[in-house]
Amino acid sequence: MKRLSLFFFVLFFFPFTLSASPTGEHLTLNDCYQLTLKRSETLKLSEEDIKISEAHFLQALGTILPRINLNYSEFFQDDSSNGDPTVSSSLTQFRRPQAGIGMSLTLFRGFREFYALRSSKIDAAEKEFKKKEVERLLYGDVATAFFTVASLEAEMKSQQKIKKIVKERITEIQNRIQLGKSRDSEYAAQAAELSLIEADLEKKKGDLRIAYELLGLLTGLTPQPPIKIEELNIVLGHYEDWKSNLAKRSDLQAQNKAIELAKEDIKVQRSYLLPQLDFNANTWIYRSGYQNDILWDTTLNLSVPLFNFSTFGNIREARIKTKQEEIRKEELNRSSEKEVGRDYVNLRSSLEQLKKYKLAAKMTEMSYQQQVKDYQQNLVTNLDVLQSQRTWMQALEQSQTAQVQVWAAWAKLKMSSGKIAEIPK
């Protein structure tokens, strides 16, 4: 059920547009992860969000710098002088063109522009952390798909080994039947066991093909090359060491920036309570009529807000949003600590299980070998050998699966703690 859920998750978030596999080489977990980073549309969208934040910085900077324009205009009116020389022709002329260069500059708006500049930088940093968060989550998706493949391959490897041994047993029983030392029912029981193993192997082959397709959807390779699991020297370490790395986790860092951004918005809203001072200047290239000799003019505008009650509502809303972001941080801190604690316990449990399963596989193999010897001496029945064989097969499969679960738990703990670098060898 988990594998099926993973299939629909990957199918929804990653369109099925695969490229040809460049090589037939085996790929490690880190290889698959790097390929996924290059292909992920979600990651590309995050990169575009960062560019938008950089554009916001340019927009904020533009409000501080002077704005210079080349202006040209023409004024048309009805000539009402009717040829009367006592009426000024410059005021009543039909057409009055003018051309000049104008500059406008914001001198003071409650430091609003500087807050906007700082906010744009904080927003860009937040987007950068959100991009890293996408990378962190992608690591979890790739690891899940990768170790699904690894688990199936480990199970098939165990069953192939058991299948070979069962075939040897069948040959031995056939020889004993010819010598009159075994019955046909013993052969039938062992042949049935072989059929069950082969049927399960066929099922796992189908599951493995689907698992490789899921991994291929992430990496963009078709066909997906075989995987390679490198042996890991996993040291569990102390829980506090893993927990201490949480401060570097991308989603927590992004939330810190979200709080900073909300606090800056409070300052922006407060700036609307302060006066606003603007400066405009024009230098004229050409003017007609009585303004022909005027070469320049300037305007200084001062606006002092006396009453605008909506500004206080905006300030209050900004404070509430800041409080919301702080609450989200508390919730995220609590959930991330719980996640790391759960994954730490899971890894510790997986390591203990692996030790027990390895010991069980070793002991059940010894028991099976002894049962075979006893059967050859007619001390036990084939049913005893068959039961011992099944116990060994189960322990061997569990041992192989437990090894993969340790690697998967290790990768999961690395992701939840924010350590998503290449798994050390």
Side-chain angles (χ1 to χ4, degrees):
M1 187 65 186
K2 292 182 178 178
R3 294 169 185 164
L4 185 61
S5 300
L6 174 63
F7 173 78
F8 286 110
F9 174 83
V10 176
L11 188 63
F12 180 78
F13 283 98
F14 294 89
F16 196 83
T17 54
L18 304 180
S19 59
S21 173
T23 64
E25 298 178 357
H26 289 65
L27 300 180
T28 64
L29 172 59
N30 190 62
D31 294 332
C32 295
Y33 177 55
Q34 295 301 325
L35 287 168
T36 303
L37 290 180
K38 294 178 181 178
R39 182 180 185 273
S40 171
E41 290 85 358
T42 305
L43 193 58
K44 292 177 182 178
L45 288 173
S46 298
E47 292 172 352
E48 296 303 317
D49 286 338
I50 295 174
K51 293 178 181 178
I52 291 175
S53 296
E54 293 171 351
H56 289 166
F57 177 82
L58 296 178
Q59 294 170 3
L61 184 61
T63 61
I64 297 176
L65 298 177
R67 295 169 291 281
I68 301 175
N69 300 299
L70 175 62
N71 302 313
Y72 176 82
S73 65
E74 286 201 31
F75 178 74
F76 296 93
Q77 67 178 351
D78 180 23
D79 187 356
S80 60
S81 62
N82 296 320
D84 186 350
T86 62
V87 180
S88 175
S89 61
S90 63
L91 292 176
T92 62
Q93 63 187 26
F94 171 70
R95 173 176 172 268
R96 291 207 307 268
Q98 62 179 11
I101 297 176
M103 181 191 74
S104 58
L105 177 64
T106 299
L107 297 179
F108 183 77
R109 288 189 179 178
F111 305 107
R112 195 181 313 158
E113 299 82 1
F114 298 98
Y115 296 146
L117 277 174
R118 194 157 52 191
S119 295
S120 63
K121 291 182 179 180
I122 296 173
D123 184 57
E126 181 189 9
K127 295 296 192 303
E128 185 66 38
F129 285 126
K130 285 184 176 180
K131 175 192 170 185
K132 292 181 180 179
E133 176 64 6
V134 172
E135 294 175 352
R136 187 182 74 90
L137 297 177
L138 280 176
Y139 183 84
D141 296 337
V142 174
T144 300
F146 184 89
F147 288 116
T148 298
V149 172
S151 179
L152 287 168
E153 288 186 343
E155 293 173 8
M156 291 178 65
K157 181 180 179 181
S158 300
Q159 288 195 326
Q160 290 286 3
K161 182 177 180 179
I162 295 296
K163 178 182 176 181
K164 180 181 178 182
I165 294 173
V166 170
K167 283 185 175 181
E168 292 174 354
R169 284 281 301 143
I170 289 176
T171 301
E172 180 185 355
I173 290 176
Q174 286 176 329
N175 293 334
R176 287 174 61 87
I177 289 175
Q178 292 177 359
L179 296 175
K181 295 182 178 181
S182 295
R183 302 184 303 274
D184 290 338
S185 60
E186 296 175 1
Y187 167 79
Q190 202 69 59
E193 187 69 17
L194 178 62
S195 297
L196 291 174
I197 294 173
E198 290 176 339
D200 196 40
L201 272 172
E202 289 300 321
K203 179 182 180 300
K204 283 185 170 57
K205 286 179 182 179
D207 293 341
L208 186 61
R209 284 194 294 270
I210 294 175
Y212 264 113
E213 288 178 3
L214 292 174
L215 188 58
L217 286 170
L218 291 166
T219 62
L221 299 179
T222 178
Q224 170 69 32
I227 67 169
K228 178 177 70 173
I229 300 181
E230 298 174 338
E231 291 293 331
L232 307 177
N233 182 22
I234 295 178
V235 179
L236 180 62
H238 298 288
Y239 168 69
E240 293 299 327
D241 295 335
W242 293 97
K243 182 181 176 182
S244 63
N245 194 70
L246 276 176
K248 301 178 182 178
R249 212 171 94 162
S250 50
D251 55 343
L252 292 172
Q253 289 180 309
Q255 188 58 35
N256 288 334
K257 292 300 177 182
I259 294 174
E260 289 183 36
L261 196 60
K263 289 180 178 179
E264 287 299 313
D265 188 48
I266 295 176
K267 298 177 182 178
V268 170
Q269 298 304 325
R270 284 176 178 171
S271 68
Y272 285 97
L273 297 175
L274 300 177
Q276 177 176 318
L277 184 62
D278 296 317
F279 173 78
N280 295 284
N282 297 291
T283 178
W284 299 103
I285 301 172
Y286 171 76
R287 301 181 91 179
S288 64
Y290 71 95
Q291 294 178 320
N292 184 43
D293 295 330
I294 300 176
L295 300 180
W296 59 271
D297 60 61
T298 62
T299 305
L300 195 63
N301 295 318
L302 175 64
S303 176
V304 180
L306 297 179
F307 182 80
N308 188 351
F309 201 69
S310 62
T311 302
F312 295 97
N314 294 336
I315 295 172
R316 184 178 181 184
E317 180 182 358
R319 287 174 176 170
I320 294 172
K321 287 182 177 179
T322 302
K323 183 62 177 180
Q324 287 178 329
E325 296 297 342
E326 291 173 345
I327 293 173
R328 289 191 183 98
K329 180 184 177 181
E330 293 175 3
E331 181 184 21
L332 192 56
N333 281 331
R334 186 169 58 254
S335 62
S336 60
E337 288 181 10
K338 183 178 179 181
E339 186 179 356
V340 171
R342 179 196 62 199
D343 293 337
Y344 180 84
V345 171
N346 185 37
L347 177 57
R348 183 176 60 189
S349 175
S350 297
L351 287 169
E352 291 298 322
Q353 289 179 46
L354 178 60
K355 292 179 183 179
K356 302 298 183 182
Y357 281 131
K358 281 185 175 181
L359 179 61
K362 180 180 179 180
M363 299 304 295
T364 52
E365 181 179 7
M366 292 173 57
S367 174
Y368 169 74
Q369 297 296 344
Q370 186 60 47
Q371 290 281 5
V372 171
K373 292 179 182 179
D374 291 344
Y375 175 76
Q376 292 171 349
Q377 297 176 7
N378 296 321
L379 297 178
V380 296
T381 65
N382 184 62
L383 183 61
D384 296 324
V385 177
L386 190 60
Q387 180 61 41
S388 178
Q389 177 184 289
R390 288 174 178 173
T391 303
W392 177 36
M393 181 175 66
Q394 183 180 11
L396 185 61
E397 287 181 355
Q398 289 173 334
S399 175
Q400 293 282 359
T401 302
Q403 179 65 77
V404 177
Q405 287 177 346
V406 166
W407 292 329
W410 168 255
K412 188 72 168 59
L413 181 57
K414 284 170 65 66
M415 187 197 76
S416 62
S417 64
K419 299 179 180 180
I420 60 170
E422 182 177 3
I423 294 181
K425 299 179 182 179

